[in-house]
Amino acid sequence: MNLNLITKAGILLNAARVPYEDFKNLCEHFDIADILNTNSKIFEELGIKPSRIEKIKNVLLKNSWLEREIDNIYKANAKFITALDNDYPQKLFDLKNPPVGLYIKGSENLNLEMPSAAIVGTRKSSLYGQNIASGIAKALSSVGLNIISGGAKGIDAAAHRACLDIGGKTIAVFGTGINKIYPAEHKDLFERICENGVVISEYPTQTGGEAWRFPERNRIIAALSGRVVIIESSLTGGAMHTAQIAIDLNREIWSVPGKITDDNSTGTNKLIQDGAKILCNIDDFVKGLAELRGQINLNFEDFASIPEQNNAPDLSDDEKIIYNTLQKNSNITLDSLLEFTGLDLAVLQSGLLTLSAFGLVNNSGAGRYSAVI
């Protein structure tokens, strides 16, 4: 695997946790070959802390680590890009500590600079939360946004799967090395993501799932996203950490409210109390989608009519029940839909959200819904 010297230096200095600014200065003002020389004095000349220099040299001297890491990247069918490469996502420079580089595995057709939304929440999610995550992911995917999450159980997995189910693009940000499947039961999910999306990590291959790495990776989820949707989180949940980083980065925050007696709603409700946009019904969110369409230069009319039969969206069985019911009964309330369809409220709301995003359902006012005929 032939890599240029800057990429090799990036792999090394990223592993040694060298700050981006130091990496940039080294590459701009010194001979790159010297970075790979264990006897080089350039680290001292640049003023890098002795403890950091020691770490760099320990990595260099440890059983040809760099050569083995390059081999691991090749075996994983992945690539490594540095912060000096043209395809490094510019949004990461909003961070005070952008990663020196990223390991990326998956589709070559996914553009990390495309408008994106993160959907995050608790691993211990309810069926309601998973259904809402699925509906939101489908709605955002349908207008061309990349869906970003952390690949974890619960809300993350529901968002990734729903996006993939309608052919959308999704990004999983790992808190482990890119060739480490965590959790193990998501092996099939991550394989699907790599077919129509990407998995990314700032950590070297073989890096395990130490607890502190997951909060650290949250800054990448927040930075890559234009907006972040929080679904079911306690006050101390990882999703709340992602939300706070997103707030600091001036990203748009949407929060799904929940029962005040539910621990998994304490975080999301607090975000709303503190000024996050409330995502409490389909109407409000579809209005937000209309705004997003304008931001990403998509024509609203493209989504406002029923697609041609040979291009019809791939609806779930529940979504077909809702749509067929609305075709037979126009201008009906949510309560009537619950009665006619026999579906749970969470499933119904999720389905309406998806159908609205496809332009198959309109809200005709006063909480009444009709199919677009």
Side-chain angles (χ1 to χ4, degrees), residues 8-9 11-13 15-16 32-40 42-43 52-68:
K8 289 182 178 179
I11 293 170
L12 171 69
L13 299 182
I32 304 299
D34 283 344
I35 297 175
L36 306 177
N37 179 358
T38 57
N39 296 317
S40 174
I42 63 173
F43 304 112
R52 186 71 64 185
I53 295 172
E54 189 66 24
K55 189 168 186 177
I56 296 169
K57 293 189 175 181
N58 282 341
V59 171
L60 276 167
L61 293 169
K62 191 177 180 180
N63 300 321
S64 302
W65 179 88
L66 181 58
E67 288 74 16
R68 289 187 293 109

Side-chain angles (χ1 to χ4, degrees), residues 33-285:
D34 283 344
I35 297 175
L36 306 177
N37 179 358
T38 57
N39 296 317
S40 174
K41 300 295 184 182
I42 63 173
F43 304 112
E44 289 88 344
E45 293 176 29
L46 195 61
I48 296 177
K49 294 179 180 179
S51 60
R52 186 71 64 185
I53 295 172
E54 189 66 24
K55 189 168 186 177
I56 296 169
K57 293 189 175 181
N58 282 341
V59 171
L60 276 167
L61 293 169
K62 191 177 180 180
N63 300 321
S64 302
W65 179 88
L66 181 58
E67 288 74 16
R68 289 187 293 109
E69 180 67 356
I70 292 171
D71 188 52
N72 287 339
I73 295 171
Y74 175 77
K75 289 178 179 177
N77 195 28
K79 66 178 180 179
F80 183 88
I81 61 172
T82 78
L84 301 181
D85 291 328
N86 292 332
D87 51 351
Y88 184 89
Q90 297 300 297
K91 289 177 284 191
L92 291 183
F93 290 122
D94 291 343
L95 295 167
K96 294 179 180 178
N97 58 333
V100 164
L102 293 173
Y103 295 80
I104 301 177
K105 178 178 180 178
S107 172
E108 293 291 334
N109 297 323
L110 190 145
N111 181 358
L112 293 174
E113 295 291 0
M114 281 290 292
S116 302
I119 300 175
V120 294
T122 181
R123 291 172 171 81
K124 300 177 181 178
S125 57
S126 66
L127 178 60
Y128 167 79
Q130 291 175 32
N131 283 332
I132 294 299
S134 296
I136 293 170
K138 289 179 180 179
L140 291 171
S141 295
S142 72
V143 292
L145 273 74
N146 295 334
I147 300 301
I148 304 174
S149 201
K153 298 178 183 179
I155 298 299
D156 291 17
H160 288 306
R161 288 194 177 100
C163 176
L164 293 168
D165 286 345
I166 66 165
K169 304 289 187 181
T170 190
I171 301 165
V173 184
F174 279 13
T176 62
I178 205 163
N179 59 346
K180 289 288 186 179
I181 303 301
Y182 184 87
E185 57 263 40
H186 282 182
K187 181 177 184 293
D188 290 344
L189 172 60
F190 294 145
E191 288 177 354
R192 286 187 66 197
I193 291 174
C194 287
E195 290 174 1
N196 205 41
V198 295
V199 295
I200 67 176
S201 176
E202 66 180 307
Y203 301 116
T205 63
Q206 309 302 326
T207 299
E210 292 85 359
W212 62 269
R213 297 188 189 277
F214 295 95
E216 185 179 57
R217 67 87 192 270
N218 290 344
R219 79 192 199 287
I220 296 179
I221 294 176
L224 285 176
S225 307
R227 52 206 50 82
V228 177
V229 178
I230 313 296
I231 305 171
E232 293 190 331
S233 177
S234 67
L235 285 172
T236 58
M240 291 294 287
H241 182 250
T242 304
Q244 186 56 59
I245 297 171
I247 291 169
D248 294 341
L249 294 172
N250 199 31
R251 302 307 195 245
E252 188 177 292
I253 304 293
W254 289 79
S255 185
V256 175
K259 298 177 182 178
I260 62 174
T261 55
D262 186 348
D263 181 63
N264 277 341
S265 298
T266 55
T268 51
N269 290 346
K270 181 67 165 57
L271 285 171
I272 294 167
Q273 185 179 31
D274 291 343
K277 294 187 177 185
I278 183 170
L279 204 167
C280 63
N281 60 53
I282 295 170
D283 295 338
D284 287 346
F285 193 63

Side-chain angles (χ1 to χ4, degrees), residues 13-25:
L13 299 182
N14 179 72
R17 314 287 291 174
V18 170
Y20 159 70
E21 288 297 334
D22 286 343
F23 169 69
K24 181 181 177 183
N25 288 336

